[in-house]
């Protein structure tokens, strides 16, 4: 009843896996610089983007996320030398498989954000939120856990 | 107590399976006589003439041990699984289908309607001009005919009832079944819920030489001449060895074929396919300096049928469990 009166706009649920050294610090900078960006993204700080397991992303979608952002240091800048290259390869393979599962691979976004790029972080979240809004709800967004 | 009364009862059942697991039980050869010294067969549709009524007639937990093979595809599979669980003291998921959903689980990439369309109408070798498709209920003057219906998705046994032990493999090698029986007879079984096989991965048992080479091109096994001494992944052939439980003595790689993953994921791994992607990501040439977007596309285009490759046996047990519908609205309840 209420829903029919107030037209509810789809607000995507986004999960962001951010590396501790660059992207998470970038997110902090966006905050202390008072950049405004949508509140759709739930940030999860991991030690390194190379720590992000493909199953973390798949699990996020299974549990109702509409989009997943993976973000790490710029190529060549990884605190652990090569973790971001690992994330790069994992995301490339993951997108390929997601397509076969029947999902739009654009629901996963890989972005390099350094500790000084607060603006870029805010911009990325803005754009990603907009993109996923256009794509609509994710594969498990409306499904309660089946038995 | 007479000798007969002191004897144990064993049973075996097939659900959505090919029958290979029943043959694998017979693959015990004369060892099966040892089993029969110790126990009588209480129910085994593939080999004996017991009916469902006989099964339903047993007391709770009266059957000491049941080997259950096959995935849960139809309402009949599910019903019998539930009855068998009630009647059995120990329930063993026997083989890949009961363990992980197995090959039948790949049907989760299609809807039931699509499956019926393909099998009964659009199959090139099918002649069905009237479009006759099996129905759960057919009404006739003489009476109604019933067939078990398909479940929405194929499930593994453990997704339907509690499983005590798992003997994996497609089919389980006889040695593994023997090991399980030895442990059982010696009263030495591991904690309930265990998978009775190795704890490590197929790579630990494989004798091929691994040189940690990067993959710049994928090959399918029929396309290339496979070097019998070098690691298959080094040669660009997807081998599920790194993410598959040991216990088969690497029988496929030793026979110059890639591992397909029938033993399921090793301990502590939830999803065999995603684990393989993680593993593969360490050796593919993507995104490094010198790598290009075109090169990445070309590399991945040589990787067709990812679900059949990475989830050949484990799709039903995977995190997604099957095809998803993007947009979410189709599955809305």
């Amino acid at each position: 009843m209420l829903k029919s009166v107030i037209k509810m706009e789809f607000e995507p649920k986004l999960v962001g896996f951010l590396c501790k050294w660059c992207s998470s610090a970038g997110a902090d900078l966006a905050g202390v610089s008072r950049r405004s960006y949508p509140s759709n993204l739930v940030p999860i700080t991991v030690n390194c983007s190379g720590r992000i397991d493909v199953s973390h992303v798949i699990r996020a979608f299974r549990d109702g996320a509409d989009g997943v952002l993976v973000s790490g240091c710029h190529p060549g800048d990884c605190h652990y030398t090569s973790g971001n290259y690992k994330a790069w390869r994992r995301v490339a393979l993951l997108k390929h498989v997601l397509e076969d599962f029947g999902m739009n691979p654009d629901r996963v976004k890989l972005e390099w954000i350094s500790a000084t790029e607060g603006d870029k972080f805010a911009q990325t979240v803005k754009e990603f939120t907009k993109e996923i809004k256009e794509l609509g709800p994710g594969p498990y967004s409306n499904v309660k856990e089946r038995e | 107590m007479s000798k007969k009364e002191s004897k144990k009862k064993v049973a075996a059942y097939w659900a959505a399976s090919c029958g290979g697991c029943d043959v694998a039980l017979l693959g015990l050869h004369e060892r099966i006589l040892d089993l029969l010294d110790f126990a009588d067969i209480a129910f085994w549709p593939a080999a004996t003439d017991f009916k469902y009524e006989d099964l339903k007639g047993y007391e709770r937990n009266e059957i000491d041990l049941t080997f259950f093979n096959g995935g849960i595809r139809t309402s009949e599979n599910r019903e019998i699984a539930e009855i068998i669980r009630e009647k059995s003291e120990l329930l063993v998921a026997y083989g890949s289908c009961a363990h992980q959903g197995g090959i039948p689980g790949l049907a989760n990439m299609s809807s039931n309607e699509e499956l019926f369309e393909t099998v009964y109408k659009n199959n090139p070798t099918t002649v069905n001009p009237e479009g006759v498709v099996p129905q759960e209920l057919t009404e006739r003057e003489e009476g109604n005919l019933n067939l078990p219906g398909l479940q929405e998705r194929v499930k593994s046994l453990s997704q339907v009832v509690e499983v005590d032990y798992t003997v994996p493999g497609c089919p389980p090698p006889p040695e593994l079944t023997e090991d399980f029986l030895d442990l059982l007879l010696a009263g030495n079984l591991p904690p309930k819920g265990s998978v009775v096989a190795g704890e490590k991965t197929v790579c630990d048992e494989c004798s091929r030489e691994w040189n940690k080479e990067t993959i710049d091109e994928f090959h399918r096994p029929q396309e290339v001449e496979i070097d019998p001494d070098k690691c298959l992944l080094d040669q660009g052939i997807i081998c599920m060895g790194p993410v598959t439980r040991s216990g088969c003595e690497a029988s496929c790689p030793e026979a110059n074929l890639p591992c397909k993953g029938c033993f399921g994921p090793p301990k502590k791994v939830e999803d065999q396919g995603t684990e393989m992607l993680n593993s593969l990501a360490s050796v593919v040439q993507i995104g490094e300096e010198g790598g290009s977007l075109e090169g990445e596309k070309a590399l991945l285009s040589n990787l067709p049928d990812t679900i059949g490759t990475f989830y050949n046996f484990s799709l039903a047990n995977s995190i997604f469990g099957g095809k998803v519908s993007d947009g979410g609205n189709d599955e809305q309840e």
Side-chain angles (χ1 to χ4, degrees), chain A residues 52-56 58-59 61-62 82 85-86 88-90 92-94 96-105 107 135-147, chain B residues 78 109 152-153 155 270 274-275 277-278 280-282 284 286-289 296 300-301 303 305-307 310-311 315 318-320 322-329 331-333:
Chain A
I52 300 158
D53 194 305
V54 174
S55 67
H56 295 157
I58 294 235
R59 176 51 79 187
F61 284 118
R62 183 66 186 80
S82 61
Y85 287 116
K86 198 161 216 165
W88 189 341
R89 295 191 295 258
R90 283 182 176 174
L93 285 169
L94 167 68
H96 187 58
V97 172
L98 282 184
E99 215 167 346
D100 285 359
F101 264 120
M103 249 182 79
N104 190 331
R107 288 188 185 278
L135 286 179
Y140 283 96
S141 55
N142 289 322
V143 182
K144 287 182 194 124
E145 191 82 31
R146 279 169 202 278
E147 344 144 39
Chain B
R78 189 175 183 131
M109 291 307 290
E152 199 177 325
R153 275 187 166 181
K155 289 185 172 173
E270 182 185 16
T274 56
E275 196 65 11
L277 292 180
N278 290 333
L280 208 54
S282 355
V284 288
I286 290 176
E288 290 285 3
E289 277 180 90
E296 184 178 317
L300 292 177
S301 69
L303 188 56
D305 185 24
T306 54
I307 309 297
F310 300 126
Y311 290 99
L315 186 63
S318 69
I319 296 174
F320 271 173
K323 200 176 185 76
V324 297
S325 70
D326 207 343
N329 297 321
E331 293 198 48
Q332 198 163 10
E333 280 169 314

Side-chain angles (χ1 to χ4, degrees), chain A residues 9-135:
Chain A
E9 201 188 345
F10 163 62
E11 282 297 338
K13 291 187 287 290
L14 308 176
V15 175
F17 293 105
L18 315 175
C19 91
K20 173 182 169 183
W21 301 98
C22 294
S23 305
S24 190
D28 286 346
L29 184 62
V32 294
S33 327
R34 303 192 169 212
R35 294 285 175 272
S36 73
Y37 56 89
S39 58
N40 299 54
L41 186 107
V42 178
I44 298 174
T45 304
V46 291
N47 252 9
C48 175
S49 54
R51 172 66 186 88
I52 300 158
D53 194 305
V54 174
S55 67
H56 295 157
V57 180
I58 294 235
R59 176 51 79 187
F61 284 118
R62 183 66 186 80
D63 290 349
D66 302 307
V68 175
L69 172 71
V70 172
S71 182
C73 309
H74 283 266
D77 285 351
C78 176
H79 187 79
Y80 304 100
T81 328
S82 61
N84 49 0
Y85 287 116
K86 198 161 216 165
W88 189 341
R89 295 191 295 258
R90 283 182 176 174
V91 169
L93 285 169
L94 167 68
K95 284 184 168 210
H96 187 58
V97 172
L98 282 184
E99 215 167 346
D100 285 359
F101 264 120
M103 249 182 79
N104 190 331
D106 292 343
R107 288 188 185 278
V108 180
K109 193 184 187 77
L110 179 67
E111 199 67 61
W112 310 125
I113 297 168
S114 81
T116 58
E117 293 176 321
D119 280 341
K120 186 177 180 186
F121 180 81
Q123 193 58 31
T124 302
V125 177
K126 256 184 223 165
E127 278 168 19
F128 194 36
T129 306
K130 190 166 162 270
E131 283 162 25
I132 299 298
K133 239 179 208 173
E134 277 163 22
L135 286 179

Side-chain angles (χ1 to χ4, degrees), chain B residues 31 42 86 96 113 115 136 152 163 170-171 194 197 225 247 252 264 313 323-324:
Chain B
R31 282 298 309 270
E86 189 203 327
S96 300
E113 293 73 35
L115 292 175
E136 283 181 49
E152 199 177 325
V163 168
C170 183
S194 299
E225 200 167 316
C252 293
F313 296 93
K323 200 176 185 76
V324 297

Side-chain angles (χ1 to χ4, degrees), chain B residues 98-302:
Chain B
H99 178 206
Q100 296 272 306
I103 306 266
L106 286 173
N108 288 355
M109 291 307 290
S110 312
S111 69
N112 288 346
E113 293 73 35
E114 287 168 335
L115 292 175
F116 274 80
E117 284 290 312
T118 304
V119 173
Y120 293 103
K121 292 179 182 167
N122 300 333
N123 198 324
T125 55
T126 299
V127 181
N128 185 7
E130 288 161 27
V132 180
V133 166
Q135 304 292 323
E136 283 181 49
L137 174 68
T138 310
E139 289 174 4
R140 286 282 176 273
E141 278 176 24
E142 301 85 345
N144 293 340
L145 297 169
N146 289 293
L147 278 176
L150 293 192
Q151 307 267 288
E152 199 177 325
R153 275 187 166 181
V154 177
K155 289 185 172 173
S156 65
L157 184 61
S158 65
Q159 287 175 321
V160 176
V161 294
E162 198 186 334
V163 168
D164 297 316
Y165 293 102
T166 298
V167 179
C170 183
E175 298 77 23
L176 210 65
T177 315
E178 278 184 39
D179 288 349
F180 175 77
L181 289 174
D182 287 342
L183 289 170
L184 175 77
L185 294 176
N188 228 352
L189 281 170
K192 278 194 180 180
S194 299
V195 177
V196 185
E199 299 264 289
K200 292 186 168 179
T201 66
V202 171
C203 291
D204 286 285
E205 296 180 337
C206 182
S207 65
R208 285 170 180 266
E209 197 187 331
W210 179 42
N211 293 320
K212 303 186 184 178
E213 284 174 30
T214 52
I215 301 176
D216 51 10
E217 197 181 354
F218 289 114
H219 303 287
R220 308 187 94 181
Q222 69 271 24
E223 291 170 351
V224 283
E225 200 167 316
I226 304 173
D227 186 329
D229 302 317
K230 272 176 70 186
C231 170
L232 288 151
L233 279 164
D234 277 354
Q235 301 179 57
I237 295 161
I238 307 252
C239 173
M240 292 289 282
V243 296
T244 302
R245 191 182 278 270
S246 60
C248 61
E249 284 158 15
S251 48
C252 293
E254 297 297 338
N256 220 16
L257 280 171
C259 169
K260 300 287 277 172
C262 72
F263 269 49
K267 217 175 176 178
K268 292 182 184 167
V269 173
E270 182 185 16
D271 188 308
Q272 201 177 6
T274 56
E275 196 65 11
M276 187 62 198
L277 292 180
N278 290 333
S279 170
L280 208 54
S282 355
V283 290
V284 288
Q285 208 167 39
I286 290 176
E288 290 285 3
E289 277 180 90
S292 65
L293 208 60
E294 290 75 38
E296 184 178 317
K297 274 195 180 137
L299 179 80
L300 292 177
S301 69
N302 268 334

